[in-house]
């Protein structure tokens, strides 16, 4: 049965969205083509009509995963109100370092969910991941006050701390929930009291 161009584009979009979520939930090696296409409501044979390989899908899904949003504040301009950058920073840090974000990796930050996998997946995935990380740096820089050099350095330090804290909180959540929550609370207080 022939599929229209519009339907083919919709099918491709569904595959990318499903892969972006499932890879963040289960890792790059933790999910197969059949599960991704099933989640998108398709058969696994259809994947290769849209992507030359599973690696090509993984790269596109990883880049798409970086479109995630921490809070509704993502679209605000920092100059909208007096003190808005500090308010936005606090909201972003507290949203990122939340129990909800810890417990729902498929809906959250791909850096915390996939960094180790991306580092092992080779130079092509590393390039895609670097593009996503740079995009996050640019988004977060809009929240911080200061000159561009200081702002970029502070953004990198803040993002790196947040990603590390979230990774540790996820790794300890089942074995020691109190420690996991302590990690999140401590970094929230340190980064944006």
């Amino acid at each position: 049965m022939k599929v229209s161009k519009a339907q083919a584009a919709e099918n491709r979009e569904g595959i990318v969205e499903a892969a972006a979520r499932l890879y963040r939930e289960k890792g790059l090696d933790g999910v197969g083509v059949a599960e991704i296409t099933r989640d998108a409501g398709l058969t696994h044979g259809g994947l290769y009509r849209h992507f030359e390989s599973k690696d090509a899908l993984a790269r596109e899904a990883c880049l798409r995963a970086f479109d995630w949003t921490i809070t509704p504040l993502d679209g605000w301009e920092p100059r909208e109100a007096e003190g808005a950058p500090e308010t936005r920073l606090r909201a972003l840090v507290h949203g990122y370092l939340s129990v909800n974000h810890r417990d729902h990796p498929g809906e959250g930050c791909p850096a915390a969910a996939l960094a180790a996998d991306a580092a092992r997946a080779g130079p092509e995935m590393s390039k895609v991941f670097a593009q996503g990380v740079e995009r996050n740096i640019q988004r977060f820089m809009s929240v911080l006050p200061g000159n561009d050099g200081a702002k970029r350095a502070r953004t990198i330090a803040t993002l790196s701390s947040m990603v590390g804290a979230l990774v540790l909180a996820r790794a300890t959540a089942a074995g020691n929930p109190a420690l996991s929550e302590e990690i999140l609370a401590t970094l929230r207080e340190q980064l944006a009291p």
Side-chain angles (χ1 to χ4, degrees):
M1 180 175 176
K2 185 124 171 127
V3 175
S4 71
K5 287 184 180 185
Q7 184 61 54
E10 188 177 313
N11 290 349
R12 187 179 201 288
E13 183 68 18
I15 292 168
V16 173
E17 287 295 323
R21 182 179 45 74
L22 290 169
Y23 285 141
R24 285 178 285 175
E25 286 176 6
K26 300 178 179 192
L28 294 177
D29 292 330
V31 62
V33 169
E35 186 176 359
I36 291 168
T37 53
R38 184 174 48 251
D39 191 86
L42 303 167
T43 63
H44 72 276
L47 178 97
Y48 296 105
R49 283 190 284 268
H50 300 285
F51 303 94
E52 64 186 42
S53 66
K54 183 181 176 191
D55 289 342
L57 168 61
R59 288 189 301 272
E60 188 167 334
C62 184
L63 196 55
R64 173 70 55 83
F66 276 100
D67 289 340
W68 68 285
T69 302
I70 292 177
T71 71
L73 297 176
D74 257 356
W76 285 11
E77 291 296 319
R79 61 185 172 278
E80 283 187 29
E82 191 74 29
E86 292 79 14
T87 301
R88 287 184 64 207
L89 176 62
R90 187 175 194 285
L92 290 170
V93 168
H94 285 247
Y96 190 98
L97 296 172
S98 67
V99 170
N100 187 52
H101 190 199
R102 178 198 67 195
D103 294 346
H104 297 95
E107 300 166 13
C109 177
L114 295 172
D117 287 356
R120 293 183 192 107
E124 289 182 25
M125 178 60 83
S126 180
K127 183 177 179 179
V128 166
F129 206 79
Q131 290 171 358
V133 169
E134 181 61 39
R135 199 167 24 165
N136 271 355
I137 290 169
Q138 295 302 317
R139 285 170 54 199
F140 275 66
M141 277 180 64
S142 71
V143 176
L144 300 176
N147 67 46
D148 285 342
K151 207 186 313 190
R152 184 169 176 86
R154 184 168 174 216
T155 298
I156 290 170
T158 301
L159 280 173
S160 298
S161 296
M162 288 170 35
V163 168
L166 188 59
V167 169
L168 291 175
R170 284 180 177 159
T172 58
N176 189 337
L179 174 60
S180 177
E181 290 178 24
E182 180 183 10
I183 291 167
L184 295 174
T186 299
L187 265 289
R188 284 191 306 262
E189 183 60 31
Q190 292 293 316
L191 297 174

